[in-house]
Amino acid sequence: MTRFPGAPVLAAVVVTVLAWASAFIGIRAVGDDLSPGALALGRLLVGTAVLGLLALRHGWVAPTRREWGLLVVCGVGWFAVYNVALNAAERHLDAGTTAMLVNTGPILIAVLAGVWLGEGFPPRLVAGLAVAFAGVLLIGLAGRDGGADLLGIALCLVAAVTYAVGVVAQKPVLRRLPPLQVTSTACAIGAVCCLPWAGVLVREVATAPASSLLGTVYLGVVPTALAFSTWAYALARTPAGRLGVTTYLVPPLVVLLSWLLLDEVPPALAVAGGAVCLAGVALARSRARVRPPAGTAAVQGPDASLRAAGGTGVLPQR
């Protein structure tokens, strides 16, 4: 019998979304003192250390050659390239606009998951993606006065693409390997990729204020070690396309956090866009009731539950 994700998965999604939203604010706060590559390396080193300590309490499941390949794709793309591109983008764009552009990623996730993972394109998922993307565009229009430039937009799109590819590469690996092991391995691979910035990191850390150092530690512990672990936990139990849509909640949260922490009052259009995002997420995550045709039995077997869930369903919990 197919079981739908319950309270633990929902809690994991909430933690992930809140932590990732706070990352956009944290990067803006630290970005003046640490360059994009150095900040990415510092964040990933902290994340790898925390995840490594947690992973020591669990056994190691040897990845297959194919799984190693997918882990490398995830680590290089989502952890290394994504972080450097995101850090660089926030030097050109405000946090809200950056979040809006990066969170076009769920559209790419849904497309890639539908094609490569066989999750299909359920009507409610497609409709929810369209509605949520419209909300994201409204937030972007509200932030046009922030002086967005082409380089910043291009960097955001690079981050969105590598984010989507990383999620789709991660999903098959989670069928057999523990989420914590997958996250810690990918994070370590990303840190290795960023080692060319080690000398820059050492020089910048020597002159950076304590607040920036604490901010880097926060980015490594919460949005990286904690949030990527809760994301992997949820991804192992939820179709990738459906889970990816939940990150549309990030832009309105970033706007709210910018208002509360940076004293930036969001324009009315941004508030409207956030409401539309929420509506799209709710629509995409809703389940259509499967009604049996007249004269047939009410119980149609597990295939009906899978179709109602919108994709390949929930992977076996391990």
Side-chain angles (χ1 to χ4, degrees):
M1 180 178 179
T2 302
R3 292 184 298 174
F4 294 109
V9 173
L10 178 60
V13 171
V14 170
V15 169
T16 301
V17 169
L18 290 174
W20 282 352
S22 72
F24 288 90
I25 307 300
I27 292 171
R28 289 281 288 178
V30 176
D32 289 337
D33 301 307
L34 296 178
S35 58
L39 176 56
L41 176 59
R43 173 179 177 176
L44 292 174
L45 287 176
V46 174
T48 299
V50 174
L51 290 166
L53 291 175
L54 295 175
L56 288 176
R57 302 177 57 185
H58 303 273
W60 171 265
V61 179
T64 64
R65 180 177 299 180
R66 178 175 180 272
E67 288 169 342
W68 269 118
L70 292 172
L71 285 169
V72 169
V73 170
C74 182
V76 174
W78 196 5
F79 284 79
V81 179
Y82 170 85
N83 274 292
V84 175
L86 177 61
N87 296 343
E90 292 213 47
R91 289 194 160 199
H92 299 272
L93 305 173
D94 61 271
T97 302
T98 302
M100 180 275 295
L101 291 169
V102 170
N103 278 280
T104 57
I107 293 178
L108 300 175
I109 292 174
V111 172
L112 294 175
V115 174
W116 289 344
L117 301 183
E119 293 186 359
F121 301 92
R124 288 180 179 241
L125 174 60
V126 175
L129 282 168
V131 172
F133 186 58
V136 169
L137 290 178
L138 287 176
I139 296 174
L141 290 174
R144 287 181 63 182
D145 293 337
D149 59 49
L150 292 179
L151 179 57
I153 292 173
L155 289 167
C156 286
L157 293 179
V158 169
V161 171
T162 52
Y163 154 47
V165 172
V167 170
V168 176
Q170 186 186 48
K171 177 71 173 179
V173 181
L174 290 167
R175 292 192 176 104
R176 195 179 71 88
L177 302 182
L180 181 59
Q181 177 181 326
V182 171
T183 305
S184 59
T185 304
C187 189
I189 292 171
V192 170
C193 292
C194 292
L195 283 177
W197 285 284
V200 179
L201 177 62
V202 171
R203 291 194 299 270
E204 293 180 348
V205 163
T207 58
S211 59
S212 291
L213 300 182
L214 291 175
T216 302
V217 171
Y218 171 83
L219 289 170
V221 174
V222 179
T224 303
L226 175 61
F228 275 91
S229 296
T230 52
W231 168 270
Y233 174 87
L235 184 61
R237 295 157 175 82
T238 308
R242 186 176 296 277
L243 182 62
V245 177
T246 62
T247 60
Y248 273 120
L249 294 171
V250 172
L253 284 172
V254 172
V255 172
L256 178 61
L257 289 172
S258 297
W259 177 32
L260 295 176
L261 300 178
L262 304 178
D263 197 25
E264 297 176 353
V265 179
L269 189 58
V271 176
V276 173
C277 281
L278 292 173
V281 172
L283 175 60
R285 291 190 60 80
S286 63
R287 303 175 190 145
R289 293 185 178 181
V290 180
R291 295 184 178 180
T296 60
V299 179
Q300 299 183 19
D303 289 342
S305 297
L306 291 176
R307 288 194 295 271
T312 55
V314 181
L315 295 171
Q317 299 189 19
R318 300 181 183 277

